[in-house]
Amino acid sequence: MATTEIITVQRRRKYHWPEAQLNFWLVIVIISSAVLLGIFAYLTSIQNSLKLGIPWILPYMITTSTLCILFIILLLGLISQQQLLPGIVVLGSFILFVLFLTGLIETSIQLYGPSGAVNSYCGSRPNVNVIDSQQTAAWLANQGLCTDWRAAFAFEIVGTVFLLWMMVMAYQVNRDDFE
């Protein structure tokens, strides 16, 4: 009796990522995530030192920033092994995009929202006729916190836009649109 042997040949598809865009994206997103992690950890420590309640956005953005940094580390590992798949990048970028967008919306509400928002306290000036070192120190601390919130808002915009860009770039890599 004759036996039939079936041979299957697996061809591994190579994806060609645009190196300059990918490296630029990695640097910007890791900087954005690290800055957000630092800002929200600092704001949490301030809230703890003042014995105030911690708004949910602070631990949320700490967690989101940490997840983004871990995702970048995963991508760097896959890049070093030349196994970076567009599907992994699209899925991870989409999840992080939704998380960043949620953080961006809540930060904008905290910063520019209704009465009692952070930005409503940012314009207050100390009495210029009275030179009081405690009042000046309090004003400087207040301005520092306002600047932190504004920087967090800006870096959340950057992170959100760059995660959206990465989803588009991964889709283009999957379709071989880059030359």
Side-chain angles (χ1 to χ4, degrees):
M1 212 189 307
T3 60
T4 319
E5 187 174 322
I6 299 174
I7 299 174
T8 58
V9 178
Q10 287 185 335
R11 233 177 92 200
R12 201 167 127 187
R13 182 173 174 195
K14 287 283 198 178
Y15 295 100
H16 301 286
W17 291 86
E19 290 181 24
Q21 288 183 25
L22 185 62
N23 290 336
F24 179 69
W25 181 86
L26 288 169
V27 168
I28 296 299
V29 172
I30 199 138
I31 288 171
S32 177
S33 296
V35 167
L36 287 171
L37 179 62
I39 287 172
F40 285 106
Y42 174 70
L43 292 174
T44 301
S45 72
I46 294 293
Q47 291 288 107
N48 282 334
S49 68
L50 295 174
K51 298 189 182 351
L52 297 172
I54 297 175
W56 69 268
I57 188 66
L58 301 181
Y60 175 84
M61 283 309 297
I62 289 171
T63 305
T64 300
S65 299
T66 304
L67 286 174
C68 192
I69 291 171
L70 291 175
F71 179 65
I72 298 298
I73 292 170
L74 172 72
L75 291 183
L76 289 172
L78 291 173
I79 290 169
S80 70
Q81 297 174 1
Q82 297 180 349
Q83 294 181 348
L84 185 60
L85 301 174
I88 294 171
V89 176
V90 168
L91 180 65
S93 295
F94 176 74
I95 292 168
L96 288 170
F97 172 78
V98 170
L99 293 173
F100 265 74
L101 187 61
T102 304
L104 176 65
I105 292 168
E106 179 60 23
T107 301
S108 67
I109 291 170
Q110 292 288 329
L111 189 57
Y112 302 111
S115 64
V118 174
N119 202 44
S120 64
Y121 298 108
C122 293
S124 60
R125 300 246 184 233
N127 188 351
V128 292
N129 296 330
V130 178
I131 299 176
D132 182 9
S133 62
Q134 284 184 334
Q135 188 178 16
T136 303
W139 179 77
L140 286 172
N142 184 37
Q143 292 306 307
L145 291 173
C146 291
T147 303
D148 287 342
W149 275 99
R150 289 176 185 146
F153 181 70
F155 277 101
E156 284 174 352
I157 290 173
V158 169
T160 304
V161 168
F162 272 74
L163 286 165
L164 180 63
W165 177 34
M166 189 56 178
M167 286 188 290
V168 171
M169 187 167 62
Y171 175 73
Q172 289 174 336
V173 166
N174 190 44
R175 291 189 57 212
D176 282 334
D177 282 349
F178 287 108
E179 296 174 7

